[in-house]
Amino acid sequence: MYLTRFRLNTARLGARRLLSSPQMLHAGVLSSFADLPPAGEGTPRVLWRIDRNSKAETYLYIVGPDKPDLTHLVEQAGWPETGRWQTYDYAPFLSRLAAGDRWAFRLTANPVHTARRTDDEPTKITAHVGLRHQLGWLLKRQDSAGFKVLEKPAERQLIPGQDRYELIVHDRRQLAFKKSGQRQPVTLVTVTYDGRLEITDPDALRRTLSLGLGKAKAYGCGLMTLAEA
């Protein structure tokens, strides 16, 4: 597994076009690999995420089973003369994860649930739009994903009982774009989670970091990364 970081030049039209279309960016990411692994349950896949740290700093992160070649993205949306990307061997880091370790994390996800208005209607996948439900979406998945979000000491909770976790939700976006061959646009609600976690099951967390969490992985969701807390 490899982790890659690439800075986009948001002053360029090509970068702005890519950032406005998750489908175009997905295609650009996949074309970075000469040979894609066959899709299958439990098979490492290509995950990607956009981090908007500021107007001047927008990064593309990619995790995949092989090293990517981002030359085309540098030419289209970077700095052709000086632009580079950094790729790191992810396997040594993943192998060192241990139960009890604490890390800061970031995850962009598509928090959804199934719902229906009446008993006669089929269930429909619906986005969580409220902050409480978006937080709950991640907390419900933490055990199976191999971690637990750390809780704040009582004296640091702004609203006791409601502000329990070292976790914030930000950069909430509603995306709408058309897929080729479809008349109706695809709509997605995405949010970014920043927080602190403790590893409870290293193998499960390695799967989460390699396979992603939640739906809409083709459109920039599901990639979780860790950093020193």
Side-chain angles (χ1 to χ4, degrees):
M1 298 294 294
Y2 295 89
L3 171 67
T4 297
R5 186 179 78 160
F6 167 63
R7 185 179 176 187
L8 292 108
N9 182 355
T10 54
R12 299 190 63 187
L13 178 60
R16 295 198 298 270
R17 288 183 62 193
L18 286 174
L19 291 170
S20 70
S21 172
Q23 188 179 19
M24 289 178 59
L25 193 44
H26 173 62
V29 169
L30 292 189
S31 63
S32 305
F33 298 88
D35 298 300
L36 289 173
E41 187 174 351
T43 301
R45 61 180 298 160
V46 176
L47 302 169
W48 61 273
R49 186 183 77 219
I50 293 293
D51 280 9
R52 296 172 175 84
N53 298 333
S54 69
K55 283 187 176 181
E57 283 194 357
T58 299
Y59 288 95
L60 168 65
Y61 286 86
I62 302 172
V63 165
D66 297 309
K67 289 183 178 181
D69 183 341
L70 304 188
T71 303
H72 61 299
L73 292 181
V74 172
E75 294 172 348
Q76 181 181 358
W79 286 265
E81 295 295 326
T82 60
R84 298 291 183 271
W85 64 91
Q86 299 84 39
T87 296
Y88 308 93
D89 187 351
Y90 211 20
F93 172 77
L94 295 176
S95 67
R96 291 196 299 268
L97 297 177
D101 288 352
R102 294 187 171 189
W103 296 89
F105 73 89
R106 173 168 289 181
L107 166 71
T108 293
N110 170 225
V112 296
H113 65 115
T114 56
R116 57 185 175 187
R117 291 174 297 181
T118 68
D119 292 340
D120 298 330
E121 283 187 344
T123 57
K124 181 181 179 181
I125 296 177
T126 305
H128 284 304
V129 294
L131 176 60
R132 182 169 62 88
H133 291 104
Q134 290 169 347
L135 289 169
W137 178 90
L138 180 61
L139 295 173
K140 287 178 182 177
R141 285 158 178 77
Q142 60 181 344
D143 291 340
S144 60
F147 65 90
K148 65 177 181 181
V149 178
L150 295 178
E151 295 191 22
K152 296 178 180 178
E155 62 272 14
R156 287 184 50 213
Q157 296 180 22
L158 299 179
I159 306 175
Q162 297 184 38
D163 184 32
R164 291 176 54 192
Y165 296 97
E166 297 272 8
L167 180 64
I168 62 170
V169 179
H170 63 101
D171 199 21
R172 283 177 274 183
R173 296 173 180 265
Q174 182 163 334
L175 309 176
F177 55 94
K178 286 189 176 180
K179 290 180 65 175
S180 57
Q182 290 189 4
R183 301 183 66 180
Q184 295 296 323
V186 176
T187 58
L188 293 175
V189 172
T190 69
V191 299
T192 297
Y193 300 90
D194 280 339
R196 297 178 65 235
L197 60 78
E198 180 178 308
I199 299 175
T200 56
D201 184 337
D203 289 334
L205 184 58
R206 279 188 276 268
R207 289 193 296 270
T208 298
L209 299 177
S210 301
L211 304 179
L213 186 62
K215 296 184 178 295
K217 297 181 181 72
Y219 303 121
C221 297
L223 172 56
M224 174 183 279
T225 52
L226 306 181
E228 290 187 0

